[in-house]
Amino acid sequence: MTPLALAALVASCAAPGPSQGPAALAPEKFSQLPLTANGAAQMTAAFADSAQLQRVVDDVLANNRDLRAAAARLKQAEALADAAGARRLPSVGAGANASRQRAANDQGQYNNFNSYGVNATAAWEIDLWGRVSATAQAAGYDAQGAALDRDAAQLSLAGTALNLQAQLIGLGHRLKLAKETLVVQNQLLDLVKARVGAGRNTALDQARAEALVAQTSASVPALRNAACLVRLQLDVLRGQPPADCDKADTDPLPAMPEPRLVSLGALPDPAGLLAARPDVKAATVRAQAAAARARVAWAARWPTLGLTGQIGWSAGKAGDLFKSGTQIHSLAAALNWNFLDFGARKAEETAARAGVDAAVAAAEQAQLTALQDAQGSLSTLRETELQAVAQAQAADATVRARDLAFKRYDAGVTDFYALLNAEQERLAAADALIQVQTARATALLDVHKAFAAKLTAN
């Protein structure tokens, strides 16, 4: 048996089979689904039709530096995949040479010699063990993974930008509420001062009214600063230098979503979610690339066989090129096998196989993370929907209580302290309602993001 045949026999016994790939971990269905009601799809449509939110997404997708880097990595991976695929084919080259040398002849006399030549060469490695094709396959998987990474980055950044914009809208409404409340509270303070002057109220009532105004005033800079920090984050996502936070927002403040149970339409089941998520698909592709590289490492342990061929013309005068008798040609085969490397290539194969196990584990972890995101966003949306409805009822009740307390105070039935408490409760309930509505809006966006759904209309 020849050494090459023996190597083929040994290699066939040790050849790695195809990777099993990550296990499917999706459950049959999701729990804690959001409640639905007739006409409840309006909130989803409001997001899709918002020109302001659409501009945010467009700015991010057009200018975000992380997305530019992802696009560049995709272009790089595609070029490397093309290069790896081209190596499966023969390489052909052409050359020309001219030389002049002075050397002694048989009689010891020195003469000048000219030499001219042109040639073409071809080389091809016969892919005995699939090393070259596996290398090309791994590079192709890398390109697919880079494309999916770009898609995942687009989805993540768009979702993050919309989430921040929803927070900014909520902060805008909280700031508006605080400013409007300050007007009412200052009017109440003026009323108390007038009554103190008339002897109908005490200095304690005036001090309490002044404290309420001061507390509400203190919330304004805190809300402005929170809105500034959100704007700065949005500027970074848009690929812009930080803007002046004191600059007034030119866009009108969008209305807060009304407390309403929302309908998301037909959500995919857990298996459908995993099939739609680009980050999960990217992790699976990376596991396939690792399996291909394990085959490359295995094939590197065995002999390589290469063919080379050359055809050309060589003459002492340029004018004699291509004439009969000046042609030269050759054809050769070379077998190389580094069979004694003290286990280096075996260790590299072992490392590559461990890389497959790591990539498979990472792909399964990506599934679990995607399922966690989806189930968590559904649960959060369900609970914030219920919370928003209850909080809206509480806000309405505190408005009625404040109005009743004012009437009773004005009629002299109750003291100023009851009116003060009613006003504080009204402000707290109204502010809490805006926060809950903001949380529900961001929860809805998180559901769309988790399910890799379209966040806004194109």
Side-chain angles (χ1 to χ4, degrees), residues 274-296:
L274 298 182
R277 288 273 296 233
D279 54 342
V280 174
K281 293 189 287 187
T284 301
V285 167
R286 280 191 284 271
Q288 294 172 320
R293 289 192 170 88
R295 292 192 292 274
V296 172

Side-chain angles (χ1 to χ4, degrees), residues 178-194 209-214 216-217 423:
K179 291 179 178 179
E180 292 175 347
T181 301
L182 273 176
V183 174
V184 175
Q185 291 177 353
N186 276 305
Q187 292 173 350
L188 185 61
L189 176 60
D190 292 339
L191 175 63
V192 171
K193 287 180 178 179
E210 290 173 347
L212 181 60
V213 170
T216 305
S217 298
E423 172 60 18

